[in-house]
């Protein structure tokens, strides 16, 4: 049975320049060689537990803060992480999304 696809959305704030960025990926729209490592990374973490954590306190001003929304198998998890708290297994997901990120327009 093939792993189910996931819709991912990342909002990153903080960092040295303080420029907020965002990106979205639907793994169903990716080539299997791109989607499979992302799905494996999602399988390697407990999304429910991560989503149930309290949001981290603000960290040093030059670090990132991530809000990752994961929609998969009819369930959506919203996970807020400080840069230092990102599980190693989840880093490929954040890296893939960060590579596609663009600055958030201020209205």
């Amino acid at each position: 049975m093939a792993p189910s696809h996931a819709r991912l959305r990342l909002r990153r704030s903080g960092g040295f320049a303080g420029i907020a960025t965002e990106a979205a990926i639907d793994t169903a729209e990716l080539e299997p060689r791109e989607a499979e490592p992302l799905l494996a990374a999602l399988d390697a973490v407990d999304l429910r537990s991560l989503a149930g954590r309290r949001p981290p306190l603000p960290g040093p001003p030059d670090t990132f803060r991530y809000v990752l929304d994961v929609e998969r198998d009819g369930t959506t998890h919203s996970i807020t992480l400080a840069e230092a708290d990102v599980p190693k297994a989840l880093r490929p997901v954040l890296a893939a999304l960060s590579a596609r990120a663009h600055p958030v327009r201020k209205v």
Side-chain angles (χ1 to χ4, degrees):
M1 178 178 187
S4 64
H5 77 97
R7 289 186 182 96
L8 309 168
R9 180 172 179 239
L10 178 69
R11 292 175 305 285
R12 184 183 74 188
S13 58
F16 183 72
I19 299 172
T21 62
E22 64 183 11
I25 294 175
D26 186 334
T27 61
E29 297 173 359
L30 300 176
E31 294 293 325
R33 64 178 170 72
E34 292 179 282
E36 289 168 4
L38 301 179
L39 295 171
L42 294 173
D43 289 340
V45 296
D46 183 348
L47 295 173
R48 181 171 298 193
S49 175
L50 289 172
R53 289 184 183 177
R54 285 188 172 163
L57 296 173
D62 59 343
T63 61
F64 290 118
R65 180 181 181 99
Y66 301 97
V67 177
L68 175 65
D69 296 325
V70 180
E71 182 184 332
R72 191 173 187 196
D73 297 328
T75 303
T76 300
H77 299 284
S78 185
I79 302 163
T80 303
L81 297 164
E83 185 174 8
D85 298 331
V86 175
K88 185 177 180 180
L90 200 54
R91 290 180 188 161
V93 173
L94 296 185
L97 284 157
S98 293
R100 291 168 170 80
H102 53 86
V104 176
R105 293 186 194 177
K106 294 184 180 184
V107 180

